[in-house]
Amino acid sequence: MLQLSRTLLRSRYWHRGRWVSTWTPLATAFNSPPARRLNFTRDDVGLFCMPELRGFEGFYLLRDNAESRTQELISEAISDQRRRKMVDIFDELSDTLCKVADLAEFVRIAHPQSKYTQAAEQACISICGVVESLNTHKPIYQALSHVVQHGDKLPTSEVDRHVARLFLFDFEQCGIHLPEEERLRVVRLNDYILQLGQKFMSGAVQPSVLPRHHVPEAIRNYFPTSGDNVIITGLCTNAANVQVREAAYRLYLQPSDSQENLLRDLLLCRHELARSCGFETYAHRALNGSTMERPEIVHEFIDELSEKLRPRAEADFAKMTQMKRRECGREGAMVEVWDTPYFTTQMRRQSLEEQTNEFLPYFSLGGCMEGLDNLLRALYGVRLENTEMEPGESWHNDIYKLAVVHEREGLLGYIYCDFFERTGKPNQDCHFTIKGGKRLADGTYQLPVVVVMLGLAQPRWSGPTLLSPARVDNLFHEMGHAMHSMLARTEHQHVTGTRCATDFAEVPSVLMEYFASDPRVLRTFARHFQTHEPISEDMLRRLCASKHLFAASETQLQVFYSALDQEYHGAGAQKSGSSTETLRSVQSRFYSLPYVENTAWQLRFSHLVGYGAKYYAYLVSKTIASWIWQTYFEANPFNRQAGEKYRSEILAHGGAVPSRKLVANFLQREMTPSVLADSLIAEIDADESKIKDLISRS
């Protein structure tokens, strides 16, 4: 708290009856348009300070160097005169390839110049070719397998042995341990699964095009048209007209034979792949090495949580039904699946008196970055320093570079902030690892480098970029990923930072959302960008409460999605019958609102491709984050002792220690499905109590 107080004293004081603030240098930098840097004297240092990337041709040199070093490492791994631990050789092999592949993948999608994106794409393809070649290299696989099964000839730690097992599992995903005919079948299945996934995702976002007479005339003008057709591009969840919401839902989610065939083939091929690799189902394969470990534990967690959620979710839906009846004037009206987002928004406006954009002026980008800096100083003794970039270091002139500096350890790494929208840039909030941290042979540490990408509006000379509460949450979330990379101190790059189990990777980022939703944290930086006046206590209470409206019903929806994903990738994958029949059955068990006839929502559920059998991961990550918050930070979100413990026992390890073991040791309790479910239910009940209290006082 002392550290935090000093920070606040530097930035706020009382003058003539009101608060006056001066922005810190960090806030000032992010509240101003990035300065265009003119260079007349200094040489370009290359993208990310890599001399090879002074020009796009450097990608070809990086690729060639990586391929050459890969051959040297293969020779070392299979040599009888090997003098390094096998896991160290494999980790250098992984690091060599990842430093090119990760960098090239980011540049491919983010660089504004086509010559760079094309060179980066060629590098990606080349490195993928190297990886495919490694996946068929029997001698290096056999050398690793022998070490995992019989131990290395050099002394190894438990972490070394764990990471070696991870490398071996990655190898065996491609069937290298199988007889040649079976291995080739696994390769073909993997290729076909990739193609099916791409086609399914493409179809999932295609609009529904229908003859005009399929849409009631009274609402036809709400949708775009083309000739005699009406085009339905989405669900219109926040439309005030209930007929529009219903029509959009029914028409956009109509069954599609082509999508159904793609999904069925995808699920069947995944099941066959898993069986070929020795797993009972694809879910068993996907959960191997995860926090939950087995699909049976996921099912138990989903069942426990579902049972406890149902009465709470039904209470939410009862409130929505009352709101719908008042609005439409029909006593028998019932809330439907197309109504829930709309009435959540209405509840914010009616009960919490939330006005559109009323919070925006209090969350300038610079103010939010100052808030993050305050929090990181308090918890970890870490500060964010805006750092001037060298000529040629960035891919655009609106990028910020942050040095992450610890008060005792010094420089921990760099975060490049690509925060603003621009033509050709993907419209997504995400975190990219450019270079992972690892211990080097000389005892020094390879500093991590990451990029945080957002899609914010460009700042104007008349004022800074302003963030909605949802955008503030996203900023804290993505910075949570970045700090996971910065604060990790692993021996091996393969398991640094976010390179851990999928159902654990979101825990640090979701935990940061808890800090972004806590009034005590928001008070440290939420102030008007013009007057510097702090946000009022009334607004603060309403803002924090609005984030938890109808939390039970929203969580129940996530449980339903997770259960459906598990069902699709379980033993039922090989059964006959449509995916919609499965959907209807799962929805009746796990969701309080009924299935809508002649709809096939799952055929637009693109997460089935990227998160097959792992959709539950967000729910489990949120539950673990909630448990950590309640145990260590709810009483005091600036607790330095808790922050240091969290870093040393969770963040520092990345994926070097099994995540289930990390969580159990940190929370001093076995991570059973019942304990996890109780933790989330306790949070939902506490938030509901706060909302009721706030509404009753308003």
Side-chain angles (χ1 to χ4, degrees):
M1 283 298 291
L2 181 61
Q3 182 85 33
L4 180 70
S5 299
R6 287 174 177 166
T7 301
L8 294 182
L9 285 173
R10 287 200 302 269
S11 61
R12 218 170 95 186
Y13 58 93
W14 186 257
H15 178 67
R16 294 184 181 177
R18 68 187 184 95
W19 285 107
V20 177
S21 299
T22 56
W23 296 117
T24 62
L26 180 70
T28 300
F30 278 85
N31 272 349
S32 308
R36 292 180 179 270
R37 292 172 288 275
L38 298 178
N39 176 40
F40 299 107
T41 58
R42 292 181 293 174
D43 292 334
D44 280 4
V45 298
L47 280 177
F48 294 104
C49 292
M50 299 182 68
E52 299 90 342
L53 291 180
R54 292 190 178 105
F56 69 92
E57 303 92 342
F59 274 109
Y60 306 123
L61 177 59
L62 289 174
R63 175 200 64 192
D64 292 346
N65 289 344
E67 291 176 352
S68 176
R69 183 58 182 154
T70 295
Q71 293 306 313
E72 293 174 1
L73 291 167
I74 290 173
S75 298
E76 182 183 2
I78 63 178
S79 170
D80 292 337
Q81 280 76 47
R82 174 171 59 88
R83 296 181 179 181
R84 287 198 295 167
K85 291 184 288 188
M86 183 67 75
V87 70
D88 288 345
I89 298 171
F90 265 79
D91 193 63
E92 185 180 345
L93 181 58
S94 171
D95 189 41
T96 298
L97 296 172
C98 285
K99 279 195 288 194
V100 179
D102 292 342
L103 167 67
E105 177 61 18
F106 171 74
V107 172
R108 184 184 70 82
I109 68 171
H111 204 289
Q113 296 181 30
S114 60
K115 58 186 180 181
Y116 274 91
T117 62
Q118 291 167 7
E121 184 169 13
Q122 287 300 312
C124 286
I125 292 170
S126 297
I127 296 301
C128 283
V130 174
V131 172
E132 288 177 7
S133 176
L134 282 172
N135 288 336
T136 63
H137 199 294
K138 288 274 189 178
I140 193 172
Y141 164 72
Q142 290 164 351
L144 175 64
S145 180
H146 183 271
V147 165
V148 169
Q149 293 176 25
H150 304 290
D152 204 331
K153 63 182 181 181
L154 298 166
T156 57
S157 66
E158 179 53 41
V159 168
D160 291 333
R161 293 188 287 275
H162 171 66
V163 176
R165 288 192 294 270
L166 293 177
F167 278 122
L168 187 67
F169 179 70
D170 289 345
F171 245 132
E172 293 179 349
Q173 294 295 286
C174 298
I176 194 171
H177 59 302
L178 301 173
E180 185 63 11
E181 185 176 338
E182 192 66 19
R183 185 192 70 79
L184 291 174
R185 182 169 180 269
V186 167
V187 171
R188 288 194 297 272
L189 280 170
N190 272 317
D191 288 344
Y192 191 41
I193 287 168
L194 180 62
Q195 295 173 34
L196 288 169
Q198 291 172 341
K199 291 177 181 178
F200 181 82
M201 289 185 69
S202 176
V205 296
Q206 295 301 310
S208 293
V209 181
L210 308 115
R212 292 170 63 89
H213 66 269
H214 283 208
V215 181
E217 186 175 357
I219 60 171
R220 206 173 288 161
N221 63 330
Y222 284 87
F223 304 102
T225 59
S226 176
D228 291 330
N229 294 323
V230 174
I231 303 171
I232 315 293
T233 58
L235 294 178
C236 302
T237 51
N238 283 312
N241 187 318
V242 65
Q243 287 182 290
V244 172
R245 297 197 301 271
E246 179 178 356
Y249 187 93
R250 290 183 181 277
L251 297 176
Y252 188 63
L253 300 181
Q254 284 189 65
S256 161
D257 289 342
S258 60
Q259 283 293 96
E260 173 67 21
N261 291 335
L262 287 170
L263 180 56
R264 291 300 306 162
D265 286 351
L266 176 66
L267 298 177
L268 186 58
C269 286
R270 282 177 169 173
H271 184 75
E272 291 300 315
L273 175 66
R275 298 289 290 178
S276 294
C277 292
F279 293 96
E280 184 179 340
T281 68
Y282 186 80
H284 285 85
R285 178 180 184 267
L287 269 68
N288 189 66
S290 68
T291 308
M292 297 300 273
E293 296 181 340
R294 305 188 311 277
E296 292 81 5
I297 298 177
V298 175
H299 283 291
E300 189 178 344
F301 167 65
I302 287 173
D303 288 341
E304 289 261 5
L305 187 55
S306 179
E307 181 181 352
K308 292 177 169 68
L309 273 174
R310 185 166 286 274
R312 294 165 171 84
E314 289 176 352
D316 283 354
F317 292 131
K319 292 174 189 173
M320 294 185 206
T321 293
Q322 292 172 0
M323 294 174 70
K324 185 172 183 178
R325 289 173 179 175
R326 284 197 300 268
E327 183 171 287
C328 72
R330 289 191 296 111
E331 186 59 34
M334 298 293 293
V335 70
E336 303 284 356
V337 288
W338 50 77
D339 293 322
T340 53
Y342 172 75
F343 285 111
T344 301
T345 301
Q346 291 302 102
M347 176 67 94
R348 288 195 182 103
R349 291 175 180 169
Q350 295 172 13
S351 299
L352 300 178
E353 301 174 358
E354 182 179 313
Q355 305 300 314
T356 304
N357 297 333
E358 70 167 319
F359 299 114
L360 279 178
Y362 294 91
F363 294 106
S364 65
L365 176 58
C368 294
M369 295 304 296
E370 183 178 305
L372 278 163
D373 187 53
N374 290 340
L375 182 63
L376 297 174
R377 287 173 186 256
L379 291 176
Y380 311 117
V382 165
R383 67 183 184 274
L384 304 176
E385 292 185 357
N386 185 49
T387 304
E388 182 179 355
M389 278 184 278
E390 296 294 324
E393 183 178 352
S394 73
W395 51 101
H396 198 267
N397 58 26
D398 64 0
I399 313 300
Y400 299 95
K401 180 183 180 182
L402 293 175
V404 181
V405 184
H406 190 273
E407 59 190 21
R408 295 189 309 277
E409 300 168 36
L411 181 64
L412 298 182
Y414 292 106
I415 303 172
Y416 289 83
C417 301
D418 188 350
F419 281 176
F420 304 115
E421 59 189 3
R422 61 176 178 269
T423 303
K425 177 182 171 181
N427 183 25
Q428 58 185 11
D429 296 345
C430 49
H431 157 270
F432 296 86
T433 298
I434 303 300
K435 181 169 64 176
K438 64 170 291 183
R439 187 70 56 193
L440 298 174
D442 63 2
T444 61
Y445 200 78
Q446 175 173 289
L447 296 179
V449 176
V450 305
V451 175
V452 172
M453 180 184 284
L454 304 177
L456 304 177
Q458 286 276 356
R460 308 293 181 186
W461 290 110
S462 58
T465 296
L466 303 178
L467 278 64
S468 67
R471 286 288 198 182
V472 176
D473 289 345
N474 288 354
L475 171 63
F476 272 65
H477 181 100
E478 298 304 334
M479 287 297 289
H481 283 309
M483 292 310 299
H484 195 180
S485 296
M486 295 296 110
L487 294 171
R489 280 300 178 266
T490 56
E491 295 294 311
H492 306 101
Q493 172 272 157
H494 190 65
V495 290
T496 192
T498 56
R499 290 172 177 166
C500 55
T502 303
D503 55 1
F504 186 72
E506 294 294 325
V507 170
S509 53
V510 173
L511 182 62
M512 284 296 287
E513 293 183 44
Y514 282 86
F515 288 100
S517 301
D518 188 278
R520 294 162 296 183
V521 175
L522 293 176
R523 283 190 197 102
T524 68
F525 68 92
R527 56 187 187 272
H528 199 284
F529 77 99
Q530 291 173 319
T531 66
H532 294 260
E533 187 175 345
I535 192 170
S536 71
E537 287 300 307
D538 172 65
M539 289 179 68
L540 200 54
R541 284 194 298 270
R542 289 189 288 111
L543 168 59
C544 294
S546 70
K547 296 183 180 185
H548 306 294
L549 283 173
F550 298 135
S553 56
E554 175 57 32
T555 304
Q556 189 189 51
L557 185 63
Q558 295 301 314
V559 168
F560 162 44
Y561 292 169
S562 302
L564 181 67
D565 178 45
Q566 288 297 305
E567 188 72 20
Y568 280 153
H569 291 98
Q574 58 187 337
K575 294 179 182 176
S576 60
S578 73
S579 65
T580 302
E581 290 174 11
T582 304
L583 169 71
R584 184 200 303 267
S585 172
V586 173
Q587 186 163 345
S588 68
R589 290 163 50 207
F590 292 99
Y591 197 49
S592 296
L593 297 182
Y595 165 75
V596 178
E597 293 296 331
N598 200 38
T599 63
W601 160 85
Q602 78 283 5
L603 301 182
R604 292 193 180 274
F605 190 31
S606 58
H607 286 297
L608 288 172
V609 175
Y611 289 87
K614 294 182 179 180
Y615 188 82
Y616 78 91
Y618 178 77
L619 194 60
V620 166
S621 291
K622 177 173 174 56
T623 304
I624 295 172
S626 173
W627 192 6
I628 291 173
W629 172 260
Q630 293 173 48
T631 304
Y632 285 102
F633 299 108
E634 189 171 38
N636 177 8
F638 308 111
N639 188 324
R640 178 64 172 271
Q641 184 178 1
E644 295 284 8
K645 182 178 174 66
Y646 174 57
R647 182 196 176 188
S648 64
E649 297 186 17
I650 295 286
L651 298 178
H653 298 284
V657 177
S659 51
R660 189 177 189 85
K661 181 178 179 181
L662 280 182
V663 174
N665 289 345
F666 183 58
L667 294 167
Q668 292 294 296
R669 191 173 181 186
E670 188 61 32
M671 202 183 73
T672 66
S674 179
V675 168
L676 287 173
D678 287 343
S679 172
L680 198 53
I681 291 296
E683 178 193 319
I684 289 171
D685 286 348
D687 289 336
E688 179 65 19
S689 177
K690 292 175 186 175
I691 291 169
K692 286 180 179 177
D693 180 59
L694 183 60
I695 291 175
S696 67
R697 287 191 289 163
S698 61

